[in-house]
Amino acid sequence: MPEIKEVARAADERKPWYKNKLWYLFNSLKLTLAVLITLAVVSIIGTVVEQNLPIEEYLTKYGEKWAKAILFFRLNDMYHSYWFLALLGMLALNIIVCTFERFPPKWKSLLNHKPERFDAKLIERFSNHQTITLNGNSDAVKEKLLNALKKKKYGIVESGTKGDYHFYAWKGRMGRLGSDVVHISLLLILLGAIIGSFAGYKDFRAVFVNGTMEVPDAEFKLRLDKFWIDYYDSGQIRQYNSVLTVIEGGKEVLSKQIWVNEPLYYKGIRFYQSSYGQAWNRVEEAYIAIKRKGSDGVETPVPVKWDTVQQLPNSRYSVKLVGYAADFAYDEKTNQVFSKSAEANNPAVRLEVYDGDKIVATPWLFMNYPGIFPAIPGADEDLVLTNYRPTMYSGLSINKDPGTNVVWAGTIVMGIGFILAFFVYHRRLWMHIRDTGRSTELKIGGMINKNTLVFEKELKEIIESIKAD
Amino acid sequence: MILSLVFFTFSFAFYLITALLYTGFWIFKKKWLGQTATAMAFVALMSTTMVLVTRAGESGHAPFSNLYESMVLFIWATNAGYLLMEFKHKFKAIGAIVMILEFLAMLSASLLPYRFKSVEPLNPALQNKWHWMMDMLSPMGLQNYAIGWLDFHVFTTFVGYAGFAIAFGLSILFIIKERSELRSGSGFMNALPGADIIDELSYRAIAWGFPFLSVGIVSGAVWANYAWGSYWSWDPKETWSLITWFIYAAYLHARVTRGWRGRRAAYLSIAGFLAVIFLYWGVSFILPGLHAYA
């Protein structure tokens, strides 16, 4: 007895420092179950409490008491709260510890087949086992058995001498590693998400047609060359499209048409079509008509392009289009014109009116109120805004996420892991052939790591092919 | 619209008949009833296939873009999965519960309000085709038949749901059967395979469903990264798919833990499928989000 104690103490001393109670807690499958079920249950909260609303909305929706609780537990941004991340961290630790504990012994046992003799009685302990008596000598039976196993693509080791053979056969060893591969893939995906949250960013920019935008954290600019909408015959929207040009070091590097589902990717940054609209402070062109004193109607309007001078027909005046407000408003304090909203509720354009080279007036023309103020003081001609062509802008989401590739690598590893874990079964068979003199006895038994139904069938097939002549 | 509706109506009747035949087989244990039931399940599968095919012809895109179309896909996948299982393991009596589920699914699809059924062109976010496939098919002028992330994502997800639906049916059977075994049960239950076999079959169904759901989630992430600019945005559909994934991951771990096999695993499987139902119908109707269209 003292010897045993000795051995136990030695084993205790050989234990590395980190194998303490905490380590074994994280090695437990019960913890895995607890964490998984907890994650499932608490994740529901975040789908019921709407995420990332302004604080006032929680107040009006839930009342002060509940809103306080929501903010205290960070239920307004639950999936990024520390406690939720801690749960994910526990799962990750659980995976890491389990892998460290289970993988090395598993790997060793998978590589190491014990070809030495084993106790034939053990075969009968398997729930799947059979003992059959066959005619023919032991070598003939052995031949048949090996053929049947080879046909089923088993690896085989044998030992023993004539009339007393032991066999061990195996198939689908890799299936054992499936769960480890899936676990490692989950760690990779988590790692990718962490990289993304530290090294990446998300942003949004609205760019006018023919306008350029600076890209945050990058050495290049983007220009929007075109924006348009495709429609189905029924009038429903088919697709939003933008043509973007990358400008780097003053040179155009590349041009690409993007749409929803087709982003532009350049130097680690993606640009997505995410919205569109009409500019509130500029237009492509305005249609200006002359109204002469004494006549009721207006003359044919002429298109005036943004920021260019246009001679008016049959007139001494030329005009330049310099301003636009979609929803005209005037701030008396600062003396400034601005747009109250982005909607074209009260569209107005500003012109510079030239008599030769000399500016004679800078009127605002209101489309909804023609002639409310005379455009050119003291002149016989008045100017009217009849229509305009809006400048479109394209809303681009910008996303830089260097973790994405790690996530994708993780998903590929996960796929491999699933195939191994669910569709490759580790089967092991132990067999003993014994010559009893007049006949030969074959004991066969074994196990599978999952899907016993398949195993029963296969064992039956092997035995039948040995029995058959 | 017309042809697919005709096939839908036929399928409706076929599933009712199939469910009755399997139930009849379960109760009366007549061999011919079982054979007819299997044949009828196959007829129903063909008919459901035709609903999908004609619907694709009518809408001009794969029939995966609204609740009605995805219900038909779900019914198709569940039936196909069940028939494969029956073919492989030869247990017929369990067909009763699967086909009753199929009929209920058919019923709920037919009761959907019109706006969930109508043939719609694809909105901008749903238009995704694989370039490599379009390039491959375009020399033959078939580029319109290329598939993309929409098709892949929806298909894999629904194969996953189908696996879970079968597992759900089997888990209910398991609980019933286990009880009757404890009471050394009535003759009615004898037609069923043993509780341990039902447990194993239920596990097999989840062993198919889980990887497919995972592929569905991952392909959704790949696509979201393409269309929305981020592979994961905690949208309710995404979150619920993860909740479901957590539950089935717990199920798989429960099975290798002593004391969690059998009954408790069956409860987890039932909880998992309730989560699937909420993920599929609940989120679409109750929780607003990016997946609003299906």
Side-chain angles (χ1 to χ4, degrees):
Chain A
M1 290 316 269
E3 270 174 46
I4 293 172
K5 264 187 186 165
E6 203 83 337
V7 172
R9 195 182 307 144
D12 245 18
E13 278 161 12
R14 263 185 275 118
K15 253 189 196 170
W17 61 270
Y18 55 83
K19 296 215 169 180
N20 50 31
K21 270 191 181 157
L22 196 66
W23 176 269
Y24 289 111
L25 171 71
F26 278 108
N27 184 30
S28 104
L29 259 176
K30 292 227 170 85
L31 181 79
T32 316
L33 283 176
V35 172
L36 283 173
I37 293 172
T38 313
L39 273 171
V41 172
V42 296
S43 295
I44 298 173
I45 302 172
T47 64
V48 178
V49 177
E50 239 181 290
Q51 300 287 292
N52 295 312
L53 294 178
I55 291 170
E56 305 84 60
E57 286 198 35
Y58 291 106
L59 278 170
T60 50
K61 242 182 159 171
Y62 299 97
E64 200 188 322
K65 220 169 154 192
W66 284 105
K68 258 187 185 161
I70 285 171
L71 294 179
F72 182 77
F73 291 109
R74 306 231 171 247
L75 300 184
N76 55 333
D77 188 17
M78 201 195 91
Y79 304 109
H80 302 104
S81 69
Y82 284 109
W83 61 266
F84 190 81
L85 295 180
L87 268 176
L88 287 178
M90 268 174 90
L91 191 64
L93 260 179
N94 200 194
I95 291 171
I96 292 168
V97 171
C98 282
T99 308
F100 266 101
E101 269 298 303
R102 284 148 213 238
F103 184 74
K106 200 197 281 181
W107 181 252
K108 265 186 211 155
S109 79
L110 287 180
L111 289 182
N112 182 19
H113 312 297
K114 298 189 182 74
E116 69 266 20
R117 297 180 52 156
F118 49 88
D119 186 354
K121 276 181 197 152
L122 287 178
I123 293 177
E124 288 169 9
R125 296 250 184 100
F126 292 115
S127 57
N128 281 306
H129 73 89
Q130 276 202 37
T131 306
I132 47 174
T133 312
L134 295 152
N135 299 324
N137 65 24
S138 57
D139 284 319
V141 173
K142 175 187 163 189
E143 190 76 11
K144 271 188 196 164
L145 175 66
L146 290 183
N147 276 340
L149 290 173
K150 272 179 199 150
K151 218 179 199 173
K152 295 260 176 205
K153 302 211 166 67
Y154 274 86
I156 308 161
V157 288
E158 60 167 288
S159 61
T161 49
K162 192 166 170 50
D164 186 30
Y165 295 110
H166 288 80
F167 303 93
Y168 168 65
W170 72 90
K171 186 160 101 176
R173 272 185 295 173
M174 294 303 282
R176 277 290 164 101
L177 304 179
S179 57
D180 301 286
V181 175
V182 171
H183 288 157
I184 289 165
S185 79
L186 291 176
L187 293 178
L188 268 176
I189 290 172
L190 274 177
L191 178 72
I194 292 169
I195 294 174
S197 69
F198 283 105
Y201 67 81
K202 275 180 194 152
D203 212 335
F204 173 85
R205 293 290 149 92
V207 203
F208 295 130
V209 175
N210 296 323
T212 56
M213 63 172 250
E214 301 283 336
V215 180
D217 274 359
E219 303 280 286
F220 61 92
K221 287 184 197 171
L222 273 191
R223 190 182 68 218
L224 177 65
D225 293 333
K226 217 174 154 189
F227 172 83
W228 75 101
I229 302 173
D230 292 330
Y231 294 90
Y232 287 108
D233 293 338
S234 60
Q236 282 154 303
I237 287 169
R238 185 195 187 102
Q239 198 50 275
Y240 307 103
N241 307 277
S242 293
V243 174
L244 297 176
T245 299
V246 176
I247 299 168
E248 195 171 18
K251 269 184 275 173
E252 296 182 3
V253 186
L254 101 125
S255 239
K256 189 186 175 185
Q257 180 186 342
I258 67 165
W259 59 88
V260 182
N261 271 310
E262 184 66 36
L264 163 71
Y265 180 76
Y266 190 71
K267 295 210 166 160
I269 306 177
R270 280 174 198 274
F271 301 89
Y272 301 88
Q273 181 71 58
S274 83
S275 67
Y276 75 101
Q278 294 182 2
W280 56 90
N281 57 1
R282 61 172 285 182
V283 287
E284 283 302 286
E285 54 187 13
Y287 293 85
I288 306 294
I290 294 175
K291 183 172 182 294
R292 295 185 198 277
K293 224 178 217 169
S295 85
D296 279 343
V298 296
E299 292 176 7
T300 319
V302 283
V304 182
K305 286 216 165 63
W306 182 259
D307 207 25
T308 47
V309 180
Q310 170 73 42
Q311 178 65 48
L312 296 176
N314 307 323
S315 167
R316 48 203 277 231
Y317 299 113
S318 52
V319 294
K320 186 177 170 190
L321 180 58
V322 293
Y324 171 74
D327 192 358
F328 185 92
Y330 180 69
D331 187 345
E332 286 179 358
K333 275 184 208 146
T334 58
N335 227 3
Q336 288 213 327
V337 167
F338 63 98
S339 187
K340 262 193 291 191
S341 69
E343 315 298 319
N345 291 331
N346 183 14
V349 295
R350 189 176 208 189
L351 298 177
E352 284 176 356
V353 184
Y354 293 87
D355 183 0
D357 287 343
K358 212 174 73 196
I359 295 189
V360 291
T362 56
W364 278 94
L365 305 185
F366 300 90
M367 196 158 93
N368 298 347
Y369 310 103
I372 185 170
F373 304 116
I376 312 161
D380 287 345
E381 293 155 41
D382 197 5
L383 302 177
V384 175
L385 169 65
T386 60
N387 205 351
Y388 63 93
R389 203 154 59 77
T391 296
M392 301 299 281
Y393 73 81
S394 182
L396 301 177
S397 289
I398 309 169
N399 186 6
K400 183 180 173 187
D401 188 348
T404 314
N405 288 331
V406 181
V407 172
W408 296 157
T411 61
I412 289 168
V413 174
M414 185 192 253
I416 296 169
F418 276 137
I419 291 171
L420 291 178
F422 290 117
F423 305 113
V424 179
Y425 315 120
H426 186 212
R427 301 154 225 229
R428 284 175 291 173
L429 286 172
W430 285 268
M431 288 138 290
H432 181 227
I433 292 177
R434 192 168 59 95
D435 210 330
T436 57
R438 260 174 296 167
S439 58
T440 304
E441 185 197 68
L442 167 67
K443 269 191 174 49
I444 180 167
M447 52 183 174
I448 190 167
N449 64 333
K450 45 188 62 143
N451 208 350
T452 44
L453 297 175
V454 165
F455 190 60
E456 278 165 25
K457 214 165 136 193
E458 187 160 83
L459 201 59
K460 211 190 271 171
E461 283 166 5
I462 290 172
I463 289 167
E464 264 160 26
S465 75
I466 294 168
K467 277 183 184 164
D469 268 22
Chain B
M1 190 70 198
I2 303 302
L3 203 51
S4 70
L5 210 65
V6 171
F7 279 114
F8 184 85
T9 314
F10 272 116
S11 306
F12 189 90
F14 290 151
Y15 280 107
L16 178 62
I17 296 168
T18 311
L20 290 174
L21 282 169
Y22 272 110
T23 315
F25 173 72
W26 183 8
I27 296 168
F28 303 114
K29 298 184 202 109
K30 291 271 186 292
K31 202 178 172 196
W32 66 269
L33 269 173
Q35 283 166 339
T36 321
T38 306
M40 209 56 214
F42 191 74
V43 170
L45 179 68
M46 289 299 112
S47 172
T48 320
T49 312
M50 286 313 292
V51 177
L52 291 169
V53 170
T54 48
R55 181 82 180 184
E58 286 155 15
S59 66
H61 54 76
F64 304 154
S65 71
N66 65 18
L67 203 50
Y68 169 83
E69 290 172 351
S70 64
M71 274 306 280
V72 178
L73 176 66
F74 168 73
I75 290 159
W76 179 87
T78 308
N79 194 350
Y82 169 74
L83 279 174
L84 278 176
M85 190 179 223
E86 189 188 301
F87 178 72
K88 207 170 161 196
H89 298 301
K90 317 273 184 244
F91 298 116
K92 272 182 198 279
I94 53 179
I97 192 135
V98 177
M99 288 304 154
I100 289 170
L101 283 177
E102 287 282 75
F103 175 69
L104 290 176
M106 213 62 203
L107 191 68
S108 48
S110 65
L111 291 177
L112 276 172
Y114 183 74
R115 68 194 167 94
F116 294 102
K117 284 186 188 172
S118 57
V119 173
E120 294 283 341
L122 292 177
N123 72 30
L126 291 182
Q127 288 170 42
N128 183 294
K129 286 191 174 180
W130 289 328
H131 289 274
W132 58 267
M133 200 163 180
M134 287 177 79
D135 295 343
M136 216 171 70
L137 293 175
S138 63
M140 292 165 270
L142 297 172
Q143 66 274 18
N144 285 340
Y145 293 96
I147 60 165
W149 285 118
L150 165 70
D151 312 284
F152 187 82
H153 168 62
V154 176
F155 186 80
T156 50
T157 307
F158 277 83
V159 172
Y161 289 1
F164 297 143
I166 294 171
F168 168 72
L170 290 170
S171 298
I172 290 177
L173 275 190
F174 172 85
I175 290 169
I176 300 171
K177 177 73 183 183
E178 200 202 22
R179 286 209 181 138
S180 86
E181 272 179 6
L182 289 177
R183 279 180 287 133
S184 66
S186 52
F188 180 52
M189 291 296 153
N190 289 347
L192 291 175
D196 52 335
I197 290 177
I198 298 179
D199 184 44
E200 180 72 28
L201 288 175
S202 162
Y203 166 71
R204 293 306 310 155
I206 288 175
W208 277 93
F210 190 70
F212 270 97
L213 175 71
S214 307
V215 172
I217 293 175
V218 166
S219 60
V222 174
W223 183 21
N225 192 51
Y226 235 73
W228 298 333
S230 160
Y231 58 82
W232 194 263
S233 44
W234 296 103
D235 150 79
K237 199 76 147 186
E238 288 174 356
T239 310
W240 271 94
S241 72
L242 192 66
I243 291 168
T244 311
W245 193 89
F246 281 141
I247 297 175
Y248 284 109
Y251 173 93
L252 293 173
H253 287 90
R255 281 188 61 90
V256 293
T257 315
R258 207 163 288 152
W260 272 80
R261 263 173 176 267
R263 180 88 62 89
R264 285 195 197 175
Y267 285 139
L268 268 177
S269 153
I270 290 170
F273 190 65
L274 294 180
V276 168
I277 293 176
F278 192 81
L279 159 64
Y280 182 19
W281 280 60
V283 175
S284 303
F285 283 108
I286 301 168
L287 301 172
L290 297 164
H291 273 84
Y293 35 78

